Amino acid sequence: DAGVIQSPRHEVTEMGQEVTLRCKPISGHDYLFWYRQTMMRGLELLIYFNNNVPIDDSGMPEDRFSAKMPNASFSTLKIQPSEPRDSAVYFCASSSNTGGPRNEQFFGPGTRLTVL
Amino acid sequence: RKEVEQDPGPFNVPEGATVAFNCTYSNSASQSFFWYRQDCRKEPKLLMSVYSSGNEDGRFTAQLNRASQYISLLIRDSKLSDSATYLCVVNVAGFQKLVFGTGTRLLVSP
């Protein structure tokens, strides 16, 4: 299996620009998670989906952030407009609901975002 | 107060040493516990689950103390390849949502 795929791996943009991050979960997994990691705050859950439906978006910092999952094999995280404080590594992860809460989450390689 | 707290380290130890990390969690409803490992500039990966009775996986031993709400990870006979950040992770019953600590950095030197 190819694992969780994220693109782009690196993104450098200017303040005010729209940024779109993409994720392809592991085939057959029905949960998808978006995280943000910074040195100061560590790894924070932004939003997660179950069967393409958003379940908990309480971690989304503000209205500038939006996430979609149009089908089981694709999700996007969009920031519009971007700000320098959005600079972080954004991870996508997926898991399968076959064994309850002990299911392992598999992470993608992350997108390193820099907003100038 | 953070939901999951860890000493950020770094812990600098020589090869062959034994090292232990602790982690505390605030939500008494937490039901599942894990240690993830994250190498520099890489994604987190599951190291091991933590069971109530404690569990061992080779050189790694995990313990859970529900009364005091802390979790520990013991690494015996440290290897250079153990150098990484170790993330303490908890999950509240009934939810897939995981809460990560900020991690403890381990550096193993020759």
Side-chain angles (χ1 to χ4, degrees):
Chain A
D1 199 332
V4 176
I5 298 172
Q6 290 187 248
S7 66
R9 295 291 305 275
H10 301 273
E11 176 82 23
V12 180
T13 190
E14 291 189 346
M15 183 173 63
Q17 296 298 306
E18 178 180 295
V19 175
T20 299
L21 312 181
R22 298 173 176 79
C23 175
K24 177 179 168 56
I26 293 173
S27 177
H29 281 188
D30 50 356
Y31 283 87
L32 183 139
F33 307 82
W34 282 102
Y35 291 90
R36 177 172 68 176
Q37 187 173 39
T38 60
M39 289 291 291
M40 291 299 296
R41 300 174 66 89
L43 198 63
E44 301 174 286
L45 178 66
L46 300 176
I47 185 171
Y48 78 94
F49 296 82
N50 177 219
N51 292 323
N52 313 337
V53 176
I55 303 300
D56 183 349
D57 65 354
S58 59
M60 296 286 262
E62 49 198 273
D63 292 345
R64 298 184 298 107
F65 286 70
S66 62
K68 294 181 180 179
M69 192 164 186
N71 57 62
S73 59
F74 183 65
S75 177
T76 59
L77 177 68
K78 188 174 291 188
I79 308 173
Q80 167 62 19
S82 58
E83 296 182 3
R85 60 192 168 121
D86 301 331
S87 298
V89 180
Y90 291 81
F91 287 104
C92 175
S94 69
S95 69
S96 172
N97 188 29
T98 55
R102 288 198 175 276
N103 289 323
E104 179 178 355
Q105 288 189 14
F106 294 84
F107 283 75
T111 295
R112 187 169 297 272
L113 173 66
T114 302
V115 183
L116 303 174
Chain B
R1 183 184 173 191
K2 292 181 181 177
E3 287 192 70
V4 179
E5 296 206 57
Q6 296 182 251
D7 181 343
F11 285 60
N12 290 285
V13 302
E15 268 186 295
T18 295
V19 62
F21 311 133
N22 290 328
C23 155
T24 57
Y25 60 95
S26 61
N27 190 336
S28 59
S30 299
Q31 287 293 315
S32 302
F33 309 89
F34 312 89
W35 285 99
Y36 274 66
R37 170 191 168 132
Q38 186 172 23
D39 292 309
C40 187
R41 302 180 77 85
K42 297 286 189 181
E43 70 273 21
K45 293 183 180 179
L46 179 65
L47 177 67
M48 59 194 299
S49 297
V50 185
Y51 299 105
S52 296
S53 56
N55 50 296
E56 196 172 296
D57 183 0
R59 299 181 293 108
F60 298 83
T61 300
Q63 298 273 354
L64 169 64
N65 185 319
R66 285 187 186 273
S68 301
Q69 296 184 200
Y70 82 77
I71 308 152
S72 65
L73 177 68
L74 181 78
I75 305 175
R76 291 182 300 277
D77 189 23
S78 298
K79 311 291 185 189
L80 294 176
S81 58
D82 293 334
S83 296
T85 296
Y86 291 84
L87 303 168
C88 177
V89 187
V90 306
N91 163 275
V92 177
F95 299 95
Q96 287 282 336
K97 181 176 175 178
L98 298 180
V99 179
F100 286 76
T102 51
T104 297
R105 192 170 173 209
L106 172 65
L107 299 172
V108 181
S109 54

